[in-house]
């Protein structure tokens, strides 16, 4: 029984059985792509089921993540720590086999996929990381970093706009070790795609600079193997293998139809499919000889041991490089990073420079990049505005061992590629755009937070203060959106010292991404004591205290801290005891002790929050008795200073609202 078809049929029956038992799922894609997966995984994929984190493994991404049972079947059959009982728990609460593959839940799942197109974007990021890391560490005779990135994708991935963004860039960067398999089955949920998807996909990818292998029979093992070997032989272009398949292959009455795309086959059809496939076994029953045909553990352990031998020789020849490689792939910062970062924070405070926080961010990048060769930066065509370039920046388009990516106008693609780079390991990616255009990238930012990976999203031009570009470019609701995203840390610093802390915290945060939000306009430097400087990392702290119990607390972030300070000074002159709080990072503040939070925001004391963004987020801090000076409408097109006056961000307006709030208390 140990032949290609029966080994592939094991995937088909596991997929249809698990979906049927869950009464939910997508059996069609796994059944249609089973032959391709069988050939790739058994003959070509270099991986070790006993160590899913082996550094030099090939990466495999299932971009059409709705077909998750394909991946779960592959992992189970190959020998990963994923049991048949795990497969029986498909789509159940707290199972290791969720409805779409999730990074961190299942051994061997390289990234969380589900939103179509995101997976191929992640794969592009992984391939960029592999190529760049190889250029930085490989030496003659030592191909320490040398693996492929394989990606399965469907029609839906190709219809999503992100696929254009990332595949275009992949061609530009000549990612020869990226191989994508298009499941060309002509079916999506609504039926036959010819009614809404008539692109010449092969020509599209050729125009990107890809190597395209067209019209491969996705059910003929030798044709698939020949295509993979052709793809591996082309080293200066990514490859798209166009696999013609039948969705739900093996189902006598539902194959080739959208009926098997996103619903169980049904008991009668499953019985008929077993007969058609000549599979005489019951649900979730895999015979031993099929398991033996799939088992990859021994081969995987041998491949890893060979590589570890190479690493040992490399360490003898290049001990410093080897230590640096292992540190970076372990995700660890240099041992002295925290001390050096604190020195830079102190230096930033001492300089007391009045600069835009985007400029302070550039100074931070300049400093931290000197400490961290793993920093891989970039911007979505706005480097001159985001200020993401630094003296040591080297563009990847000029040299393979560079550290800067010119992403072009691709905000969504950039953010999803960054996810892939972070997942690959060896780099801490950051990428920048205007805060308003985070909207283009929203899904990728959410996926980064969902996966809990170290990623840094840099957003400048953070408010109506940017002025003349008008409401299309002025963010209003974006800060609240970001802050309400679980596991995303959001900083909006008010000057260079807070910016230095924000960057330090982002770089040291290992289990989630950070959004750093910066101003276009110049901000006034704040004076601080040593204690106040050390409290910035708490996310919120008392910037200006009062000798007596405060009558009012002013809370502000970013560019509005300077405004709040001026208002506090005027109120003090009027005899009002005012406590000024700078809150650059609300999630960090929320994580502090109740005692500390009560000290910063005393209960039963009126509070006025000031931020040039949507008001509603701040009610959690000011309560029903407090007030907020913020935005409730879109902005306007005018000089920034005029807009701030128009919308009430003036000292006079803050003082008036503060007095009114005290009178009502």
């Amino acid at each position: 029984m140990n032949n290609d078809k029966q080994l592939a049929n094991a995937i088909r029956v596991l997929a249809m059985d698990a979906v049927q038992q869950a009464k939910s799922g997508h059996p069609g894609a796994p059944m249609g792509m089973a032959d391709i997966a069988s050939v790739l995984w058994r003959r070509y994929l270099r991986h070790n089921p006993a160590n899913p984190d082996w550094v030099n493994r090939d990466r495999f991404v299932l971009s059409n993540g709705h077909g998750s049972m394909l991946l779960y079947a592959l992992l189970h059959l190959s020998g990963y720590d994923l049991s048949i009982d795990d497969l029986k728990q498909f789509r159940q609460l707290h199972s290791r086999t969720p409805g779409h593959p999730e990074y961190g839940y299942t051994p061997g799942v390289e990234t969380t996929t589900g939103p179509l197109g995101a997976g191929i974007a992640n794969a592009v990021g992984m391939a960029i990381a592999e190529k760049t890391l190889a250029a930085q560490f490989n030496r003659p005779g030592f191909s320490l970093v040398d693996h492929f990135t394989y990606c399965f994708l469907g029609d839906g991935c190709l219809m999503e706009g992100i696929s254009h963004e990332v595949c275009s860039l992949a061609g530009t960067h000549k990612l020869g070790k990226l191989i994508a398999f298009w499941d060309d089955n002509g079916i999506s949920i609504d039926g036959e795609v010819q009614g809404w998807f008539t692109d010449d996909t092969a020509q599209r990818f050729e125009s990107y600079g890809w190597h395209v292998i067209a019209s491969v029979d996705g059910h003929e093992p030798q044709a698939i193997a020949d295509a993979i070997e052709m793809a591996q032989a082309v080293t200066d272009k990514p490859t798209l293998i166009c696999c013609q398949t039948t969705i739900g292959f093996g189902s006598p009455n539902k194959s080739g139809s959208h009926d098997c795309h996103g619903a169980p086959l049904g008991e009668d059809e499953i019985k008929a499919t077993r007969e058609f496939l000549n599979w005489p076994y019951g649900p979730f029953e895999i015979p031993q000889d099929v398991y033996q045909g799939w088992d990859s553990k021994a081969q995987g352990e041998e491949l890893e041991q060979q590589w570890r031998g190479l690493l040992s020789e490399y360490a003898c020849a290049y001990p410093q490089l080897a230590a640096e490689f292992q540190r970076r792939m372990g995700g660890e910062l240099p041992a002295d990073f925290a001390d050096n970062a604190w020195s830079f924070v102190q230096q930033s405070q001492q300089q007391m420079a009045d600069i835009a926080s985007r400029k302070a961010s550039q100074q931070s990048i300049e400093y931290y990049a000197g400490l961290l060769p793993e920093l891989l930066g970039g911007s979505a065509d706005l480097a001159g505005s985001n200020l993401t370039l630094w003296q040591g920046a080297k563009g990847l388009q000029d040299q393979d061992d560079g550290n800067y990516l010119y992403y072009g106008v691709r905000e969504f693609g950039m953010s999803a590629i960054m996810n892939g780079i972070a997942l690959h390991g060896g780099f801490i990616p950051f990428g920048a755009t205007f805060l308003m255009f985070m909207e283009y990238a929203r899904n990728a930012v959410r996926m980064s937070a969902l996966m809990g990976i170290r990623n840094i999203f840099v957003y400048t031009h953070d408010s109506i203060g940017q002025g003349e570009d008008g409401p299309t470019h002025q963010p209003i609701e974006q800060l609240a959106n970001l802050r309400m995203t679980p596991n995303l840390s959001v900083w909006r610093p008010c000057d260079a010292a807070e910016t230095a802390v924000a960057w330090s915290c982002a770089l040291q945060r290992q289990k989630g991404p950070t959004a750093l939000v910066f101003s276009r306009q110049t901000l006034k430097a704040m004076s601080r004591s040593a204690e106040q400087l050390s409290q910035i990392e708490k996310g919120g702290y008392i910037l200006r205290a009062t000798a007596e119990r405060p009558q009012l607390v002013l809370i502000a972030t970013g560019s509005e801290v300077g405004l709040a300070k001026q208002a506090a000074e005027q109120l003090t002159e009027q005899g009002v005891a005012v406590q000024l709080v700078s809150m650059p990072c609300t999630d960090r503040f929320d994580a502090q002790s109740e005692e500390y939070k009560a000290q910063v925001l005393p209960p039963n004391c009126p509070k006025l929050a000031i931020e040039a963004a949507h008001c509603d987020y701040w009610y959690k801090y000011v309560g029903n008795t407090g007030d907020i000076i913020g935005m409730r409408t879109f902005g306007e097109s005018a000089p920034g200073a005029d807009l701030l006056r128009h919308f009430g961000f003036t000292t006079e307006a803050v003082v008036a609202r503060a007095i009114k709030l005290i009178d009502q208390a």
Side-chain angles (χ1 to χ4, degrees):
M1 186 186 295
N2 188 359
N3 59 60
D4 285 315
K5 282 299 179 185
Q6 285 297 76
L7 293 173
N9 286 342
I11 298 173
R12 295 186 170 100
V13 296
L14 286 173
M16 69 181 186
D17 287 344
V19 171
Q20 185 66 33
Q21 179 152 307
K23 299 181 175 60
S24 171
H26 300 75
M31 296 174 74
M33 298 193 78
D35 295 303
I36 307 166
S38 175
V39 172
L40 173 64
W41 276 61
R42 292 191 303 104
R43 301 191 197 180
Y44 298 100
L45 193 74
R46 294 168 56 88
H47 64 123
N48 182 8
N51 182 15
D53 298 324
W54 171 35
V55 167
N56 200 45
R57 67 191 181 279
D58 288 339
R59 270 57 169 185
F60 176 81
V61 175
L62 184 70
S63 188
N64 45 344
H66 55 273
S68 57
M69 268 309 304
L70 172 64
L71 181 51
Y72 299 148
L74 287 165
L75 294 169
H76 169 71
L77 292 167
S78 296
Y80 284 78
D81 180 21
L82 194 69
S83 69
I84 198 71
D85 288 332
D86 289 322
L87 269 58
K88 292 177 180 178
Q89 291 298 307
F90 179 56
R91 290 190 162 218
Q92 304 308 299
L93 184 63
H94 302 315
S95 78
R96 304 173 80 199
T97 49
H100 291 78
E102 293 188 39
Y103 174 74
Y105 267 64
T106 316
V109 170
E110 300 282 3
T111 180
T112 300
T113 54
L116 294 176
I120 181 62
N122 296 165
V124 171
M126 292 173 186
I128 288 173
E130 188 276 341
K131 183 177 182 181
T132 308
L133 203 66
Q136 292 179 356
F137 284 98
N138 286 358
R139 295 294 183 269
F142 294 98
S143 295
L144 196 63
V145 182
D146 181 15
H147 67 78
F148 286 94
T149 300
Y150 298 102
C151 182
F152 282 6
L153 66 160
D155 293 322
C157 296
L158 293 174
M159 284 186 260
E160 290 286 0
I162 190 175
S163 69
H164 164 70
E165 295 184 28
V166 302
C167 293
S168 168
L169 193 63
T172 298
H173 282 277
K174 305 181 185 301
L175 302 178
K177 289 186 177 177
L178 173 62
I179 300 176
F181 298 78
W182 169 32
D183 182 25
D184 181 13
N185 62 33
I187 297 294
S188 67
I189 289 177
D190 282 350
E192 297 182 5
V193 300
Q194 63 186 7
W196 47 86
F197 183 51
T198 58
D199 303 12
D200 189 326
T201 299
Q203 287 192 5
R204 170 187 164 189
F205 274 76
E206 286 173 358
S207 75
Y208 293 152
W210 283 55
H211 170 222
V212 177
I213 304 174
S215 302
V216 174
D217 185 342
H219 300 299
E220 176 47 54
Q222 191 55 51
I224 298 163
D226 291 344
I228 293 172
E229 292 178 11
M230 290 170 60
Q232 291 178 336
V234 176
T235 59
D236 62 345
K237 294 180 179 181
T239 295
L240 178 70
I241 303 176
C242 305
C243 300
Q244 296 176 333
T245 66
T246 300
I247 190 171
F249 183 92
S251 170
N253 301 302
K254 295 187 177 182
S255 63
S257 164
H258 70 282
D259 290 340
C260 65
H261 181 284
L265 296 182
E267 296 291 353
D268 291 343
E269 188 64 15
I270 285 178
K271 181 180 178 181
T273 302
R274 276 187 157 78
E275 293 174 358
F276 181 87
L277 297 176
N278 189 27
W279 190 270
Y281 309 101
F284 298 102
E285 184 181 351
I286 304 295
Q288 193 59 39
D289 59 343
V290 171
Y291 274 127
Q292 291 172 351
W294 268 104
D295 191 0
S296 302
K297 293 192 293 294
Q299 181 185 24
E301 289 176 359
E302 181 180 354
L303 288 170
E304 181 174 354
Q305 287 305 314
Q306 290 174 356
W307 179 84
R308 291 196 176 278
L310 179 69
L311 177 61
S312 296
E313 295 176 13
Y314 180 87
C316 292
Y318 305 98
Q320 291 183 328
L321 272 178
E324 182 71 356
F325 176 78
Q326 291 176 297
R327 177 190 70 78
R328 285 174 55 174
M329 293 309 296
E332 299 297 326
L333 297 178
D336 58 355
F337 177 82
D339 290 341
N340 287 328
W342 178 239
S343 296
F344 178 67
V345 170
Q346 292 174 307
Q347 175 187 328
S348 300
Q349 179 63 51
Q350 292 165 0
Q351 290 176 345
M352 287 292 290
D354 295 345
I355 55 177
S357 56
R358 63 171 175 166
K359 181 62 178 177
S361 170
Q362 185 180 44
Q363 293 175 352
S364 295
I365 294 170
E366 186 79 50
Y367 180 81
Y368 291 124
L371 304 177
L372 301 174
E374 61 262 45
L375 206 58
L376 182 57
S379 180
D381 201 52
L382 292 168
S385 294
N386 298 146
L387 302 186
T388 49
L389 286 168
W390 69 99
Q391 290 184 1
K394 299 180 293 184
L396 289 182
Q397 81 282 3
D398 298 321
Q399 51 194 100
D400 290 343
D401 65 345
N403 55 10
Y404 193 86
L405 258 168
Y406 290 88
Y407 283 100
V409 188
R410 300 180 176 96
E411 295 89 354
F412 190 6
M414 172 184 72
S415 303
I417 285 172
M418 288 165 56
N419 287 345
I421 293 171
L423 287 162
H424 179 278
F427 295 99
I428 302 174
F430 75 84
T433 186
F434 290 176
L435 177 57
M436 183 65 243
F437 301 134
M438 176 277 298
E439 293 290 355
Y440 283 127
R442 175 69 186 134
N443 185 265
V445 176
R446 182 178 187 272
M447 296 297 285
S448 185
L450 179 64
M451 289 188 280
I453 54 180
R454 181 162 51 187
N455 228 342
I456 302 175
F457 301 103
V458 176
Y459 300 124
T460 68
H461 297 60
D462 66 348
S463 74
I464 58 171
Q466 70 163 298
E468 294 85 348
D469 279 333
T472 61
H473 284 52
Q474 294 165 4
I476 302 297
E477 72 276 23
Q478 284 65 41
L479 268 169
N481 186 317
L482 290 169
R483 286 172 177 150
M484 289 188 292
T485 302
N487 200 37
L488 175 64
S489 189
V490 182
W491 287 82
R492 187 176 184 241
C494 75
D495 65 0
E498 285 191 359
T499 298
V501 173
W503 264 104
S504 174
C505 289
L507 290 165
Q508 293 184 71
R509 186 170 193 248
Q510 292 189 324
K511 296 188 182 300
T514 303
L516 302 177
V517 182
F518 301 121
S519 73
R520 175 193 183 190
Q521 68 269 36
T522 298
L523 305 181
K524 186 74 174 176
M526 298 289 119
S527 59
R528 297 176 182 83
S529 67
E531 182 182 11
Q532 287 171 321
L533 192 64
S534 68
Q535 289 175 339
I536 294 174
E537 68 176 21
K538 295 180 181 293
Y541 62 102
I542 301 170
L543 184 59
R544 188 177 188 275
T546 177
E548 55 191 290
R549 179 175 174 80
Q551 296 172 267
L552 175 74
V553 176
L554 294 179
I555 312 168
T557 78
S559 50
E560 288 70 68
V561 172
L563 170 62
K565 182 174 181 290
Q566 291 174 346
E569 291 169 351
Q570 287 196 17
L571 287 164
T572 300
E573 291 174 1
Q574 298 178 31
V576 178
V578 180
Q579 181 161 294
L580 173 60
V581 172
S582 176
M583 195 176 289
C585 184
T586 59
D587 56 276
R588 297 276 294 206
F589 178 74
D590 291 345
Q592 303 307 314
S593 69
E594 293 301 319
E595 180 182 7
Y596 178 80
K597 289 188 287 187
Q599 177 188 357
V600 175
L601 300 179
N604 304 318
C605 180
K607 301 173 183 69
L608 176 61
I610 311 158
E611 186 175 63
H614 202 284
C615 295
D616 285 1
Y617 179 81
W618 289 98
Y619 282 110
K620 64 184 288 188
Y621 299 105
V622 303
N624 295 329
T625 59
D627 198 3
I628 304 161
I629 296 177
M631 298 294 295
R632 298 187 184 276
T633 68
F634 294 114
E636 299 280 353
S637 179
D642 293 347
L643 286 177
L644 290 170
R645 283 192 297 272
H646 174 73
F647 285 104
F649 294 96
T650 65
T651 305
E652 295 76 19
V654 174
V655 169
R657 293 278 283 274
I659 295 297
K660 182 179 179 181
L661 190 59
I662 293 171
D663 290 343
Q664 292 173 344

